[in-house]
């Protein structure tokens, strides 16, 4: 698919890709330049206090396992964090 650079360095992603990936307005991406290419990687940004809460759960689990999670999604759910789905990169804000 061919796209064109517009004013203010903007590129419009084709609707087919938007729908396929479930991208919505306000979603964030990390821009990576590598080997002459530009890559957009979806990123989920969580407040630092939520990541500290997760770190504490993991630390507590290392010392004395009291809760066993079947998946990271279950642990996040218990912490009140909705991670949605799909492959995302988590970054502290």
């Amino acid at each position: 698919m061919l796209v064109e650079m517009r004013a203010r360095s903007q590129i419009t992603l084709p609707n087919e890709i938007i729908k396929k990936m479930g991208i919505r307005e306000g979603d964030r991406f990390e821009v990576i330049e590598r080997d002459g290419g530009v890559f957009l990687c979806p990123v989920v940004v969580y407040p630092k206090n939520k990541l500290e809460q997760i770190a504490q759960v993991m630390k507590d689990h290392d010392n004395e396992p009291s809760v066993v999670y079947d998946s990271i999604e279950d642990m996040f759910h218990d912490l009140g964090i909705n991670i949605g789905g799909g492959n995302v990169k988590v970054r502290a804000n």
Side-chain angles (χ1 to χ4, degrees):
M1 290 176 218
L2 186 63
V3 297
E4 181 180 333
M5 177 73 72
R6 300 287 187 170
R8 296 177 39 182
S9 302
Q10 295 179 337
I11 296 174
T12 300
L13 297 176
N15 198 38
E16 178 182 320
I17 292 173
I18 299 294
K19 287 180 180 178
K20 182 177 180 180
M21 295 191 65
I23 298 170
R24 292 180 273 188
E25 183 176 339
D27 286 354
R28 295 180 182 194
F29 298 86
E30 181 169 7
V31 179
I32 301 169
E33 180 275 322
R34 185 176 302 145
D35 300 327
V38 177
F39 301 89
L40 300 176
C41 299
V43 177
V44 177
V45 179
Y46 288 106
K48 186 176 178 183
N49 68 330
K50 288 290 187 186
L51 293 177
E52 289 170 345
Q53 196 177 2
I54 292 167
Q56 186 61 49
V57 167
M58 294 171 76
K59 180 179 175 186
D60 292 346
H61 189 273
D62 284 345
N63 294 333
E64 189 175 322
S66 58
V67 178
V68 177
Y69 294 101
D70 292 328
S71 69
I72 192 74
E73 289 85 4
D74 291 344
M75 183 182 80
F76 280 20
H77 181 265
D78 281 357
L79 294 171
I81 300 172
N82 178 15
I83 62 170
N87 286 330
V88 293
K89 193 173 188 177
V90 178
R91 174 168 287 196
N93 187 14

